[in-house]
Amino acid sequence: MNERVVGLKKIAVILVLCMAMVLFSGCGQGKVNEKGYYDTLNVYNWGDYIDPVVLEEFEEEYGIKVNYDTFANNEEMLAKIQQGGNDYDVIFPSEYMIETMIKEDLLQELDYKNLSNFKNIGEQFKNLPYDPQNKYSVPYFWGSMGIIYNTKKVDEKVDSWDILWNEKYKGNIFMLDSVRDTVGITLKKLGYSLNTKNIDELEKAKEELIKQKPLVKAYEVDNYKSMMIAGEGAMALTWSGDAMLLIDENKDLAYTIPKEGTNLWFDTMAVPVTSKHKKEAELFIDYMMRPEVAAKCAGYVKYATANVKALEYLPKEEVENELAYPKGNIFEKGEVFIDLADFTTEYDRIWTEIKSH
Ligand code: N2P
């Protein structure tokens, strides 16, 4: 009997030691700074999508070092989070990707006690169908897709997606390296929904893009911009904010939204399951929703901010530019991407076929 008690005691002591070791090693990795915050934050955002100064100012104010990493498109970001290796704390998915990530349990619920600046976000951007109560995401930038073109190189009217298929501009057309965007506008060109789950429609879009491929200089998301500024390309499929930035840099450039219709998109900030430091992640998100900080980012990258309080800090001509900030019911301006669930694999398949053709 006694021996058994001694044995049990031994096991208990070993267990306590193991637990202490686990706890100790866990704490050992992290450093809490004098302000009580974990001292590092891993942020994963689109390229060219923030004013770097706001990162420096965040680091200074909170004593938290920001490891900043960028992705080219939603699918690349999703794959990284699914792999789980990078401990990202804050990510910037688009609306359909939020839906996907909620379904795959890849996001943490936000604690609004830590997000007092959410009040600065415009009501029209809150509670949208992709995240009905903003349980997992807060809006960041929003906009449209269209064509940026060089008026010195393109002398005809640009009002249809068809021009991206015009042989005259062979080797002078950039397309986005982003499956939903590039396939999406091709579906629009054909008169279909950019959320189609009809395999025949999708196959037709594939054929169109294969037909267009010899005309395409590159599938890019950020690098093409310096070439357009330098007057090197004739036209590019682009997001509205990048178009505003390019026009600022080169007055020969113009942006148009084709008559067949476009995509209306919303990008957000969220905390993925890879984050071990949700408190600091929310601190960062709340900081990004300060009007001055949101205005700095919008002023720098030229995308339309969802933060209505930030608009007061931005130049009037930027906020009044209807190409960046469409007026009226914005939901009439374009079709919003939705998560396509299992059908996503069909889009991925045609995208691979187009790329490898
Ligand atoms: C910025 C990317 C913008 C993404 N480089 C538009 N959804």
Side-chain angles (χ1 to χ4, degrees):
M1 218 22 162
N2 262 354
E3 261 177 33
R4 242 179 106 182
V5 172
V6 171
L8 281 175
K9 272 191 180 164
K10 267 190 192 163
I11 291 171
V13 169
I14 291 169
L15 273 177
V16 168
L17 281 176
C18 286
M19 277 165 64
M21 271 169 71
V22 168
L23 277 177
F24 184 74
S25 64
C27 296
Q29 285 162 12
K31 281 171 256 88
V32 172
N33 66 22
E34 68 278 7
K35 293 187 168 126
Y37 297 116
Y38 186 78
D39 67 357
T40 345
L41 188 78
N42 302 319
V43 176
Y44 195 30
N45 194 358
W46 296 82
D48 296 348
Y49 222 34
I50 201 164
D51 179 349
V53 163
V54 308
L55 295 177
E56 283 164 30
E57 289 174 353
F58 177 82
E59 290 182 327
E60 211 169 295
E61 184 172 337
Y62 293 107
I64 298 173
K65 158 105 185 62
V66 178
N67 291 327
Y68 191 77
D69 211 354
T70 60
F71 55 84
N73 55 52
N74 279 295
E75 289 67 28
E76 180 186 337
M77 181 275 297
L78 174 67
K80 272 277 179 69
I81 300 300
Q82 284 169 330
Q83 286 156 18
N86 291 70
D87 290 0
Y88 288 121
D89 295 302
V90 179
I91 53 172
F92 290 69
S94 301
E95 70 302 294
Y96 72 93
M97 191 47 70
I98 287 288
E99 276 186 84
T100 310
M101 296 182 90
I102 294 173
K103 285 183 196 155
E104 292 191 23
D105 279 330
L106 292 172
L107 299 177
Q108 302 192 38
E109 262 192 54
L110 298 171
D111 183 348
Y112 277 86
K113 282 203 297 294
N114 301 326
L115 299 171
S116 60
N117 288 321
F118 186 63
K119 60 178 184 297
N120 302 327
I121 302 297
E123 291 305 317
Q124 64 178 342
F125 306 111
K126 290 180 179 169
N127 307 322
L128 295 179
Y130 64 87
D131 184 9
Q133 283 134 13
N134 288 102
K135 258 196 204 170
Y136 300 92
S137 65
V138 301
Y140 182 49
F141 287 136
W142 65 285
S144 62
M145 266 202 293
I147 300 170
I148 182 104
Y149 61 100
N150 188 323
T151 53
K152 290 260 154 70
K153 293 180 188 256
V154 182
D155 43 21
E156 61 221 279
K157 196 165 179 202
V158 184
D159 66 351
S160 160
W161 295 115
D162 286 343
I163 199 155
L164 295 169
W165 273 258
N166 189 325
E167 294 275 342
K168 236 164 76 185
Y169 304 106
K170 185 171 182 168
N172 276 310
I173 299 170
F174 294 101
M175 292 295 282
L176 287 170
D177 184 15
S178 173
V179 48
R180 291 299 301 271
D181 294 296
T182 290
V183 174
I185 67 97
T186 310
L187 289 163
K188 279 284 175 211
K189 164 180 152 62
L190 294 168
Y192 305 139
S193 159
L194 48 68
N195 290 310
T196 190
K197 288 190 178 182
N198 177 318
I199 195 74
D200 295 333
E201 293 179 359
L202 195 62
E203 284 294 327
K204 283 196 187 120
K206 180 183 93 181
E207 291 313 321
E208 280 297 293
L209 286 166
I210 288 174
K211 202 161 68 187
Q212 183 210 31
K213 208 176 164 196
L215 315 183
V216 175
K217 192 172 168 80
Y219 297 97
E220 297 254 338
V221 289
D222 287 318
N223 293 334
Y224 80 91
K225 287 184 267 181
S226 53
M227 289 186 254
M228 285 301 289
I229 291 170
E232 281 168 28
M235 62 187 78
L237 170 63
T238 189
W239 293 296
S240 44
D242 282 336
M244 299 306 110
L245 183 85
L246 292 179
I247 292 169
D248 255 16
E249 299 290 327
N250 181 342
K251 297 293 172 218
D252 294 337
L253 301 176
Y255 178 68
T256 193
I257 296 175
K259 57 177 188 253
E260 298 90 348
T262 190
N263 164 236
L264 175 73
W265 54 263
F266 304 94
D267 289 342
T268 72
M269 295 183 273
V271 182
V273 284
T274 49
S275 173
K276 300 191 180 85
H277 304 286
K278 187 159 167 268
K279 181 175 96 177
E280 288 74 8
E282 288 173 341
L283 186 74
F284 180 80
I285 292 175
D286 202 42
Y287 166 84
M288 292 291 285
M289 291 192 292
R290 288 185 196 170
E292 315 86 278
V293 173
K296 266 187 200 161
C297 291
Y300 187 87
V301 299
K302 305 295 175 204
Y303 274 86
T305 177
N307 190 312
V308 286
K309 286 279 163 357
L311 300 178
E312 296 162 23
Y313 296 78
L314 286 163
K316 238 186 153 146
E317 65 276 12
E318 288 184 15
V319 176
E320 281 172 5
N321 183 345
E322 288 216 34
L323 289 173
Y325 290 88
K327 299 245 178 334
N329 180 359
I330 61 166
F331 297 95
E332 286 168 2
K333 314 278 175 188
E335 194 182 359
V336 180
F337 286 128
I338 57 169
D339 169 59
L340 300 169
D342 290 348
F343 202 77
T344 304
T345 54
E346 295 297 334
Y347 278 69
D348 291 343
R349 174 184 61 77
I350 70 151
W351 191 230
T352 310
E353 288 175 25
I354 294 157
K355 290 287 203 65
S356 61
H357 195 270

